[in-house]
Amino acid sequence: NEISHSAKYGINCNAASPLIDNNVISNNSYYGIYCAYNSGATVSNNIISDNSLSGLYASASNLTITDNTFNNNSSYGIELMNCSSITRSITGNSGSGNNYNGIRVNGSLTANSTLPTGNIDFPYIANNIDINSGITLTIEAPNVVKFSNGNEVIEVYGTLIADATDGSEIIFTSLQDDDYGGDTNNDGLSSGTPGDWHVIWFKEQSDDASCILDHCIIKYGGYAGGTSDYGMIYCEQSSPTITNNEISHSAKYGINCNAASPLIDNNVI
């Protein structure tokens, strides 16, 4: 179908799980696709462009999003907000000309979740992610996770697994950093600045035996405004494994160990 020029959403999925496949969804006055209230929609092979807000917005929902093209939307390509779980495929998506060329992710995870690999210059944009006690977030490699401002954090009360390999790294960096994931904020060539984002924070409750950062590149965090002086990786009475990483350009500490006993081995800091 061609779905365009709605006064509001092109498609509204309220507690619904439709298959939305091979459509052109464009020039709608709000979101191209809006999903809420535990929608389980499958969104695949669509061209989603020129919508007045984001191409796809999902709140408190868990979608399959594969092989779509997002162009020239006035906010994000994709927004996944108020997430409690991310368990389905998100891969093969791409786009350009959006205000933010990527996948915004926000939420407090209450089920084991994964950020899949395979999106093309269309990185994840972390907008405060809490990993609750007993819950695992796995970030597949290779991957890029960007942060948009000094307040943005990943707080680990459970388990964070970012376990990559040489040549297939997982990147944590600034939204401004065009070296990884392309020109995400659509502002032309730019690079990051120390303090552009806040911290990966391993809490006292986190699962020491399972938390790992391996073969990651972690840059331009460590925001130090006000009383925030945690550094870019903060181990608060916790003991994650931090190995084979490149950790650089923090506004404060690269790694801050507060009554903590992490394994920090074979990194460039």
Side-chain angles (χ1 to χ4, degrees):
N1 304 294
E2 179 182 320
I3 301 166
S4 67
H5 296 91
S6 170
K8 199 147 190 182
Y9 315 118
I11 301 174
N12 184 354
C13 306
N14 187 341
S17 301
L19 170 62
I20 303 172
D21 182 71
N22 202 35
N23 302 282
V24 176
I25 303 169
S26 67
N27 294 288
N28 298 291
S29 295
Y30 281 65
Y31 303 107
I33 302 172
Y34 177 84
C35 299
Y37 300 104
N38 295 310
S39 172
T42 296
V43 182
S44 57
N45 301 300
N46 300 284
I47 298 172
I48 303 173
S49 69
D50 299 286
N51 297 286
S52 295
L53 295 174
S54 295
L56 168 59
Y57 181 98
S59 176
S61 297
N62 192 12
L63 310 185
T64 297
I65 309 169
T66 58
D67 300 317
N68 301 282
T69 301
F70 297 85
N71 290 335
N72 303 318
N73 297 288
S74 296
S75 190
Y76 292 82
I78 302 171
E79 291 188 81
L80 305 178
M81 305 301 290
N82 306 306
C83 294
S84 60
S85 64
I86 306 169
T87 63
R88 298 171 66 185
S89 181
I90 305 172
T91 190
N93 300 290
S94 62
S96 65
N98 306 284
N99 199 37
Y100 299 101
N101 296 308
I103 305 166
R104 185 185 188 193
V105 180
N106 157 276
S108 180
L109 299 176
T110 58
N112 293 339
S113 296
T114 300
L115 296 184
T117 188
N119 297 293
I120 304 159
D121 280 345
F122 211 68
Y124 295 97
I125 304 168
N127 176 223
N128 294 329
I129 299 173
D130 290 346
I131 306 167
N132 282 294
S133 182
I135 301 304
T136 298
L137 173 62
T138 301
I139 302 176
E140 293 182 347
N143 224 323
V144 179
V145 179
K146 295 188 175 184
F147 300 81
S148 61
N149 64 61
N151 296 316
E152 308 297 9
V153 306
I154 296 177
E155 291 187 293
V156 185
Y157 297 88
T159 299
L160 173 63
I161 298 174
D163 190 5
T165 57
D166 189 23
S168 187
E169 291 85 1
I170 296 169
I171 315 298
F172 298 91
T173 191
S174 165
L175 184 72
Q176 310 290 333
D177 185 0
D178 295 349
D179 288 342
Y180 304 99
D183 183 11
T184 308
N185 61 341
N186 202 34
D187 68 342
L189 185 65
S190 64
S191 60
T193 300
D196 276 350
W197 58 279
H198 199 177
V199 62
I200 300 170
W201 188 340
F202 294 97
K203 299 281 189 170
E204 180 181 2
Q205 302 94 319
S206 62
D207 185 346
D208 291 338
S210 300
C211 287
I212 183 167
L213 298 172
D214 184 74
H215 284 97
C216 298
I217 297 172
I218 306 168
K219 305 177 72 173
Y220 299 125
Y223 173 75
T227 59
S228 299
D229 59 355
Y230 304 116
M232 193 158 56
I233 301 170
Y234 182 36
C235 304
E236 181 187 19
Q237 300 180 58
S238 60
S239 302
T241 295
I242 303 172
T243 51
N244 305 304
N245 303 290
E246 178 185 319
I247 300 166
S248 67
H249 296 90
S250 172
K252 191 100 181 189
Y253 317 113
I255 304 172
N256 182 355
C257 304
N258 183 350
S261 301
L263 172 62
I264 304 172
D265 182 66
N266 202 39
N267 301 281
V268 176
I269 304 172

